[in-house]
Amino acid sequence: MDMHGFTPVAERDLAIAGVRARRLVHEASGAELLLLAGDEPNLSFAVGFQTLPADDTGVAHILEHMVLAGSERFPLKDPFFEMIKGSLAGFLNAMTYPDRTVYPFATEHPQDFLNLLQVYLDAVFRPRLSETTFQQEAWHLEPGENGAALQLRGVVYNEMKGAVANPSRALQHTETSALFPETAYRHESGGDPVAIPELTYAGLKAFHAAHYHPARARFVLRGDVPLEATLATLASYLDGVERVDPLPPPAL
């Protein structure tokens, strides 16, 4: 089978998960792939990136929203909503954690899997990231009602106003900041509404270029996926990519 530039570097049984795990590395770029083979009806995929925050602007969270708002190959306003309408997938999502961002999906149909794979890869590696979308998802100013002063608005800004008002979340963030004061975990990865307006469009694009670099991607495959076709699709985004050093791990 043509591995399309991927080379197996390690293999072991993971009995607790009932899978045979194989770690592969794309030789040209250095991107890594974890293949989990086992008895599973779903064909699952995820691509993840290390997105440690350096401040409270919520850049990783805002970027997650913008990545899902159209790409070079699929320049739709909301391609993921269109996928939901036409896909057989049982799971489609994206999640921002305090130190990583992950884009997973699962379906039982091989062709649906390959279709979704193309949309996901184009979204993360070649998003449009327009300034208009930045203003919509991050923050912008708009006139208040009945001639009131200008108001801050934005999808993530409004979302996080509600999130940080939750006492449980506020307590958790305070505890984490106190326990890890010299690490990235002291920051509000989702974005603090007070700090979100400090994020610039240029800053967001720079964050994407550094953290979503194809060589720094980590892929996971689970189930009896069409492996050769999948590797070929992955390689189409990795071939010719300059190898870069990994981002430093979280400091503890």
Side-chain angles (χ1 to χ4, degrees):
M1 181 179 66
D2 187 348
M3 299 294 285
H4 297 278
F6 284 90
T7 300
V9 294
E11 185 171 351
R12 60 179 293 187
D13 288 320
L14 299 178
I16 192 170
V19 298
R20 180 71 177 173
R22 296 172 64 196
R23 179 169 164 261
L24 294 84
V25 173
H26 187 257
E27 290 297 328
S29 67
E32 297 185 15
L33 183 151
L34 179 63
L35 175 62
L36 303 173
D39 185 16
E40 166 60 52
N42 283 297
L43 312 178
S44 303
F45 167 84
V47 56
F49 305 92
Q50 179 179 307
T51 52
L52 288 166
D55 53 38
D56 293 319
T57 61
V59 58
H61 184 192
I62 293 165
L63 183 57
E64 176 209 315
H65 280 235
M66 292 182 64
V67 159
L68 306 182
S71 65
E72 289 183 11
R73 187 175 175 188
F74 305 100
L76 306 174
K77 182 179 180 181
D78 192 345
F80 279 69
F81 180 71
E82 297 301 321
M83 284 194 297
I84 290 172
K85 292 193 297 184
S87 170
L88 301 173
F91 184 80
L92 292 169
N93 213 334
M95 295 89 89
T96 301
Y97 296 91
D99 51 13
R100 64 198 183 280
T101 305
V102 182
Y103 299 85
F105 70 79
T107 179
E108 294 188 24
H109 193 285
Q111 187 57 54
D112 192 39
F113 176 90
L114 294 173
N115 292 342
L116 294 170
L117 179 67
Q118 294 178 53
V119 177
Y120 265 65
L121 293 179
D122 212 63
V124 298
F125 294 130
R126 298 173 184 169
R128 292 188 298 174
L129 299 183
S130 72
E131 189 164 7
T132 299
T133 305
F134 171 78
Q135 293 170 354
Q136 171 187 302
E137 298 295 335
W139 67 274
H140 64 273
L141 292 170
E142 63 181 49
E145 294 182 1
N146 301 320
L150 292 175
Q151 303 291 314
L152 271 168
R153 295 286 187 268
V155 174
V156 172
Y157 176 81
N158 291 337
E159 177 184 328
M160 292 308 298
K161 281 182 68 177
V164 300
N166 182 295
S168 296
R169 183 184 177 116
L171 176 61
Q172 180 184 22
H173 179 61
T174 300
E175 290 175 339
T176 302
S177 298
L179 289 169
F180 306 103
E182 303 301 323
T183 75
Y185 298 105
R186 71 186 185 277
H187 298 299
E188 174 52 75
S189 59
D192 186 327
V194 174
I196 286 175
E198 298 173 7
L199 180 64
T200 65
Y201 176 57
L204 179 131
K205 293 194 71 174
F207 188 90
H208 177 269
H211 292 77
Y212 281 55
H213 192 288
R216 290 174 171 153
R218 297 294 180 265
F219 306 102
V220 179
L221 301 174
R222 174 76 165 93
D224 189 20
V225 303
L227 186 57
E228 185 168 352
T230 298
L231 296 180
T233 303
L234 296 178
S236 69
Y237 288 88
L238 298 174
D239 290 341
V241 169
E242 180 182 358
R243 183 186 282 258
V244 296
D245 292 333
L247 291 170
L252 296 176

